[in-house]
Amino acid sequence: MNELILLIWSICLINTVKSTIHSSYADRHYDFCKFQPLSLKETHEEHLLMKSIAWPETPPLPFPHYLSKTSDPSHSSFTILSGRENGEWHKDDNLEILIKMYDFQGLPKKFGGDILLARLHNPTLGAGVVRQVVDHLNGSYSAVFYLPWEGNAEVEVTLVHPSEAITVLHSLTRKHPDRIYFKSLFRSGYINETTVCNVCLRPTQQPVCNYTDLRTGEPWFCYKPKNLSCDTRINHSKGRLKKNLMTTETLFQSGVNMKVSIPASGPSGVTVLPKTKGWSMVSSRTVKSRPSGYYFHGVWRALRGPSVPQFNTSSAITQCLKGKVVHIYGDSTVRQWFEYFNATLPDLKEFNLHSQKKIGPYMALDYANNILVTYRCHGPPIRFSKVPISELRYIANELDSVTGGSETVVVLGIWSHFSTFPVEVYIRRLQSIRRAVVRLLSRAPDTLVVIRTANPKNLTLYETITNSDWYSLQHDKVLRAMFKGLNVHLVDAWEMVVAHNLPHELHPQPPIIENMINVLLSYICPKKGG
């Protein structure tokens, strides 16, 4: 009887929690987006994740949109707050800045929600370090930098998007999660038909083919072709961006209010003196943790995790990878890593799998040193063209086929292709991958799992609609929270891109990729005593 009462109570609790969460987020659940069901624990986790990335609300935007009352980087400013009592800064001190935002009328903003990036750098030294900006929700922001080098240190603050633009981007995903559509070709004999596909497929009178993955539960749908059956689908391709999505472009102007530097009110930099013994400067605001690392002479130096030795020669990389199997799964930002190994290691020979360029799968082998490197793209949604259906593989399923062990390295990078969808789609994908990672580490605890985070990029209007840094930032927070506490390692692509002097790009330039590879190799071959 007690067991029956407990069972009834559990069912009631599950329904109550789900009902509460669904009603709390009624405005973000879209009736034509299919979400796979979650367990009670996963539902609670999703609830906490959604709360953790909730963005500050902004007042309703008038229509048509005018710039006058929106955040203006040219009127805004940052100030370096005083250092030690004698006004000096020393290596390993903290430097605090205060940012105040104003609108185009020169009036102070009264609420938060702007996306700001803050960097401390010295181009001559090839040095750079970043810090997260704290939003005080009243138009002011702050950041506390760690000072890891001696010499000049210049502060750079960039407005990525004003808060009003975030309101538009949020509304865009709520109303148009299918703004990038996908398509599949169906073929039987001489008959060819192409239909639209998506995880968010708007209901019509047309029948739908259900391609939900049986093992992971990942949903995917295509409109059924008129004259062919659902099992005649042969490939997957990215479609186009739907037209007339934006009611305004004024909030997304390069050089005006998108990726624009904010000037200093007073000095924009400081001179960092050598470290003094016995002194420990504490900022007026508590610094919870140091950044993951910083650049010095163009080389990434880790502040968390193992030290990062420089694998400057192909022989050094080969020696580190000797006897290893490296499986790389994800989007094109980790495909860059396969391409780096393939181009850098002369004895690593790519095996011709007759795969389409930029799609894969890829395989490269160094027979003499027993090194195998593979790459496979993740399953839909993915914005690649003409991917054969047989090559549409979900990462979780691929991980379940990995034996693992001390000679196996698994690299994951999955974020960019989910930016146009409700974040719940991304949460569920990561939950599926995490379950597979847990299974892998349970059967082979010595397996090394490394995850590449998201990174900011150059923003045009098209990139903003499809892949804004705000979307990437939201996904980055979810990814870090999802894998926290597991025996996995991160390559902090976000900090490594922001801290560098090179422009932000979806696919970072070679000097940044080389540093990322060094971080990866530092996990594979940790420096003794590091």
Side-chain angles (χ1 to χ4, degrees), residues 295 298 300 308 310-311 317 332-341 343-344 452 455 491 493 496-497 500 502 505-521:
Y295 287 107
W300 184 257
V308 182
Q310 297 307 294
F311 297 85
I317 299 175
S332 57
T333 63
V334 283
R335 187 187 66 213
Q336 280 187 286
W337 294 10
F338 178 92
E339 294 165 346
Y340 178 89
F341 286 131
T344 304
R452 184 203 191 278
N455 62 264
V491 174
M496 296 183 77
V497 168
H500 207 281
L502 287 170
E505 294 183 14
L506 174 63
H507 300 106
Q509 294 186 34
I512 300 177
I513 295 299
E514 183 176 344
N515 277 287
M516 290 182 181
I517 294 296
N518 281 332
V519 176
L520 170 64
L521 295 175

Side-chain angles (χ1 to χ4, degrees), residues 208-225:
V208 170
C209 295
N210 185 350
Y211 297 109
T212 298
D213 184 68
L214 297 179
R215 292 170 61 185
T216 63
E218 294 290 349
W220 193 254
F221 307 92
C222 297
Y223 292 125
K224 183 183 179 302

Side-chain angles (χ1 to χ4, degrees), residues 130-297:
V130 302
R131 203 62 187 140
Q132 182 177 349
V133 175
V134 177
D135 188 347
H136 300 290
L137 305 178
N138 58 5
S140 67
Y141 303 77
S142 63
V144 180
F145 293 99
Y146 170 64
L147 301 177
W149 67 81
E150 299 173 14
N152 183 52
E154 289 289 320
V155 176
E156 179 183 80
V157 178
T158 302
L159 174 67
V160 179
H161 289 305
S163 55
E164 295 81 7
I166 303 304
T167 301
V168 174
L169 291 175
H170 181 71
S171 175
L172 191 63
T173 295
R174 189 172 65 249
K175 296 177 180 178
H176 303 284
D178 58 341
R179 56 189 176 277
I180 283 187
Y181 66 88
F182 303 84
K183 56 187 179 180
S184 276
L185 173 65
F186 295 77
R187 177 182 295 157
S188 180
Y190 295 102
I191 302 176
N192 294 297
E193 291 187 59
T194 299
T195 71
V196 171
C197 306
N198 215 313
V199 66
C200 297
L201 201 60
R202 295 179 185 265
T204 66
Q205 297 299 318
Q206 193 171 349
V208 170
C209 295
N210 185 350
Y211 297 109
T212 298
D213 184 68
L214 297 179
R215 292 170 61 185
T216 63
E218 294 290 349
W220 193 254
F221 307 92
C222 297
Y223 292 125
K224 183 183 179 302
K226 294 181 179 179
N227 301 307
L228 296 174
S229 64
C230 293
D231 59 7
T232 59
R233 178 175 175 238
I234 66 169
N235 68 22
H236 163 95
S237 293
K238 170 192 172 183
R240 297 180 179 179
L241 177 68
K242 293 185 175 181
K243 297 180 179 180
N244 303 319
L245 295 173
M246 298 290 286
T247 57
T248 178
E249 298 180 7
T250 58
L251 295 175
F252 304 96
Q253 300 183 68
S254 297
V256 177
N257 53 11
M258 186 168 69
K259 285 286 179 89
V260 180
S261 295
I262 292 176
S265 175
S268 61
V270 300
T271 299
V272 183
L273 302 174
K275 183 178 180 179
T276 55
K277 295 181 180 180
W279 173 268
S280 177
M281 179 181 176
V282 180
S283 168
S284 60
R285 298 189 184 278
T286 302
V287 182
K288 293 183 179 180
S289 64
R290 288 182 176 184
S292 63
Y294 66 99
Y295 287 107
F296 192 68
H297 295 312

Side-chain angles (χ1 to χ4, degrees), residues 333-360:
T333 63
V334 283
R335 187 187 66 213
Q336 280 187 286
W337 294 10
F338 178 92
E339 294 165 346
Y340 178 89
F341 286 131
N342 204 32
T344 304
L345 304 181
D347 295 326
L348 187 69
K349 304 300 183 182
E350 183 176 354
F351 187 81
N352 186 3
L353 298 176
H354 302 286
S355 304
Q356 295 188 58
K357 189 177 181 180
K358 303 298 183 182
I359 294 176

Side-chain angles (χ1 to χ4, degrees), residues 8-9 18 38 41 57 80 100-101 127 143 147 188 206-207 228 239 247 333-334 436 456 510:
I8 295 174
W9 178 85
K18 287 186 175 180
L38 299 178
K41 183 178 180 181
E57 292 187 8
I80 298 175
K100 292 189 175 181
M101 300 301 296
L147 301 177
S188 180
Q206 193 171 349
L228 296 174
T247 57
T333 63
V334 283

Side-chain angles (χ1 to χ4, degrees), residues 447-458:
T447 306
L448 177 65
V449 179
V450 180
I451 301 176
R452 184 203 191 278
T453 71
N455 62 264
K457 61 195 72 63
N458 177 48

